[in-house]
Amino acid sequence: MTRDFRARQIWTIARLELRRVFFSKRSFWVYGLALFPVAIFVAAAIGMTYERRSYEAVNRVSPALINSVNEGESVEAVLERLGTPVRDREFRRRHRGEDDESEELLVIRNLRYWDGSRFAELRFRNGILEAKFIRQLISLERQRQAYNGVFHYYYLKLAIFFGCLGIFMNLFRGEMLDKTLHFWLLAPARREVLLGGKYLAGLLASSVIFGAGAALMFAAMVWPVDPLEARAFLAGPAAAQWARYAGAAMLACLGYGSAFLAAGLLVRNPIVPAVVLLMWESINGFLPAVLQKISVLHYVQSVCPMPAPMDDGAPALVRLFLAPAPGTAWPLAVLGLCALTAAVLFVAARAVKRLEINYGGD
Amino acid sequence: MSAPEIVFDEVSKFYGEVLGVNRVTLRIPPGITSLVGPNGSGKTTLMNLLTGLVHPDRGSITVRGFSPRDPERLMRITGYATQYDAAPRGATGFDFVCTSLLLWGYDSRAARTRAAEALERVGLTEAAGRKVAAYSKGMRQRVRLAQAIAHDPEVLVLDEPLNGLDPVVRAETIALFRDFAARGRHVVLSSHVLQEVDVISDQVILIANGMVVAEGRIRNVRDEIDERPSQFLIRCSGASRVASLLFGRDHVSEIKMVDGREGLLVMTRDREQFAAALNEIALAGHTIESVLPADENVDALYEYLIGGQR
């Protein structure tokens, strides 16, 4: 048998498997995992667009006018100068004095003004401006931070992890449960060829699902941003960043896919390898440098354009588990992950050669 | 050219602590070979070992010179219709057969043509477009057979292939096996329908408790069972007289009158002496219409060799 023939067999197996991976009922929740953050970003974008339109419909003041408002001004003076606010809220509350005996009635009024990209919250106490907060409604930088956080903490650590668990564990274990694995084992193909075909199918499917999810999420992130700012971003670093996020998603599929494919051949219960691998990946940040290299997340995080965000005020335990390990240069990270994947697939190939049909045992 | 024999050499297989087969040594020549034995005796294990679905713990197997650990070569010459009823989800009968042909390396057009031919051979042309999951038991049996024969294998392995088939399809299927065997190929099948095994098999392998109890042509196996006298059914006129003539012989242990005293069931410990005695009786003027062996069939062998374990 020629190498060319085996390559054709791998592709045939992958093609046949792809249909099953993409359209089986078992895979539908994987779509849910991949598209959930897209839905959140789209919903947020719709919300922000709606909010902006509603402000535009009421009143839009110049940025200079907003900047001109100072603490200590009366509410009447501000209303006269800036006109109708886009939002006007008033409430009253009783305030106990410092001597703890006297009581005073406070009238709090919040006015919101909109200048086309920022809004100002003006807080009046008994008719006098007490505080002024100015904020961008939509900021590209904030959107990018949000995207980066979601990508690191949800997409890489949960969605792709569990998505690959669902896809790759099922490639052999699912067929064993369906009692259809013999169909493949009776084909005139080497077991390694069968493994290669199934892995390729899983990799293509998961890469398409999660790569597309990352790309859609990226588009949804840019959508509500000011068109001028968005255009500048898209003409600049957007393509490179998008490629690195999508690449990181696909590399995560490559690494986790091999791990779960091997696990599907070596153990019966998917929960055990999932928990072990999840723990291993979680504690990666404080493992010795040598052990850090036996981790998918270690390499994948190095490929992302921005490190995982970490709040300085986060509890120590949370920081311990979520803090990323020191990164590696991304070309080295890609090579490292490919080497790790090859090693895991080698173990899987040895396992698949020993694989026997024992439906009764499952 | 590969050696045209299937060879099991001291093969043992255990599932944990449960015995599958133990120290099986066999040489199976081309032709139709039936594996006969009670449930759990190891028939399916032997077939799975032969096709590489399970691996022996000890011993070795070669199928026409190929090892079951080399599916790339072995499955090119082997078709296996398993007992497992499931087909890949959503597959139609046509998809099921065509898909396996694609794995065999046929291009799409050749695979479609061969799949259609195989389905026609098992009488499933009309149902080819329906999902296998919606097939009856007999149709599933036939679609598995179609898949096994679609690439025209040299070794056809069939686990209970006649189960669920109606009489017409059963006859056609047996004809198909004979056609394969006539072309010098191996057909290895298991069956519980002993009468059919008897009719279609060139040789039988009787298995009990994971061990081969007997193997070979049915007549030869019967001859080896010394402790059981051979049974012959004689049709003759004057059955009582013939019975009295036979009864004086040492090798005759028992005689029963059958069919309203027109027939005799004779049990003898020596077939050659029995034949000589019948010659003498015929020369003495008694009319012997027919003499038929009554226990040279799989049913009897099964009863003699495995009966107690049924």
Side-chain angles (χ1 to χ4, degrees), chain A residues 69-212:
Chain A
V69 177
N70 293 310
E71 285 177 18
E73 283 193 61
S74 71
V75 68
E76 291 82 10
V78 170
L79 282 169
E80 190 182 329
R81 201 161 73 251
L82 274 67
T84 313
V86 295
R87 184 189 286 172
D88 185 350
R89 300 261 165 85
E90 186 180 282
F91 64 94
R92 287 153 204 272
R93 69 180 165 91
R94 295 196 179 279
H95 178 70
R96 202 175 283 271
E98 284 180 3
D99 56 6
D100 215 26
E101 284 178 7
S102 60
E103 221 179 48
E104 123 183 78
L105 181 68
L106 294 180
V107 179
I108 307 292
R109 191 168 177 187
N110 289 327
L111 301 181
R112 180 179 284 185
Y113 284 95
W114 168 248
D115 73 358
S117 65
R118 306 175 306 164
F119 59 81
E121 287 282 354
L122 308 177
R123 181 182 160 94
F124 296 88
R125 178 172 166 161
N126 291 336
I128 302 299
L129 183 61
E130 184 187 52
K132 176 173 121 177
F133 310 98
I134 297 178
R135 204 155 63 86
Q136 290 280 124
L137 176 63
I138 305 159
S139 135
L140 176 63
E141 192 47 39
R142 260 188 31 229
Q143 289 286 90
R144 282 177 55 198
Q145 293 289 348
Y147 180 93
N148 190 50
V150 170
F151 189 84
H152 277 279
Y153 293 123
Y154 171 79
Y155 223 59
L156 288 183
K157 291 196 171 181
L158 292 175
I160 297 181
F161 182 89
F162 285 105
C164 286
L165 171 78
I167 291 174
F168 287 88
M169 284 285 281
N170 265 330
L171 290 175
F172 282 95
R173 187 57 47 199
E175 297 242 33
M176 198 67 111
L177 293 173
D178 287 346
K179 301 188 176 182
T180 53
L181 186 58
H182 65 278
F183 176 75
W184 297 103
L185 299 189
L186 293 175
R190 282 179 167 209
R191 294 283 179 90
E192 301 92 315
V193 166
L194 175 62
L195 181 89
K198 279 181 168 274
Y199 178 67
L200 182 61
L203 183 61
L204 287 174
S206 56
S207 295
V208 167
I209 293 170
F210 289 106

Side-chain angles (χ1 to χ4, degrees), chain A residues 1-2 5-6 8-9 12-13 15-16 19-20 24-26 175 178-191 193 352-359, chain B residues 13 15 48 51-57 68-76 78 80-82 84-89 95-96 99-100 102-105 144 147:
Chain A
M1 305 300 157
T2 64
F5 178 75
R6 287 180 188 138
R8 275 209 311 276
Q9 273 189 322
T12 304
I13 293 164
R15 211 156 35 93
L16 295 169
R19 248 186 306 176
R20 207 170 63 92
S24 84
K25 282 181 195 158
R26 283 199 183 121
E175 297 242 33
D178 287 346
K179 301 188 176 182
T180 53
L181 186 58
H182 65 278
F183 176 75
W184 297 103
L185 299 189
L186 293 175
R190 282 179 167 209
R191 294 283 179 90
V193 166
V352 80
K353 285 180 98 164
R354 294 193 303 268
L355 182 67
E356 294 187 343
I357 292 294
N358 183 12
Y359 294 148
Chain B
K13 174 69 189 172
Y15 299 104
N48 286 350
T51 50
L53 289 186
V54 296
H55 304 305
D57 297 318
R69 287 193 183 271
D70 182 5
E72 193 177 45
R73 289 162 188 270
L74 175 76
M75 297 318 295
R76 199 151 287 286
T78 306
Y80 182 15
T82 63
Y84 310 119
D85 220 13
R89 279 171 194 265
D95 292 339
F96 181 61
T99 300
S100 34
L102 291 174
L103 292 173
W104 256 264
R144 288 202 296 270
Q147 189 219 1

Side-chain angles (χ1 to χ4, degrees), chain B residues 14 21 38 64 69 72 109 128 146 153 167 176 178 199 260 272 296:
Chain B
F14 290 84
V21 293
R64 292 198 169 217
R69 287 193 183 271
E72 193 177 45
R109 183 185 245 180
L176 191 147
R178 288 206 170 113
V199 171
E272 286 180 9
E296 277 182 19

Side-chain angles (χ1 to χ4, degrees), chain A residues 36 92 141 231 241 342:
Chain A
F36 174 67
R92 287 153 204 272
E141 192 47 39
R231 222 168 288 149
Q241 286 190 9

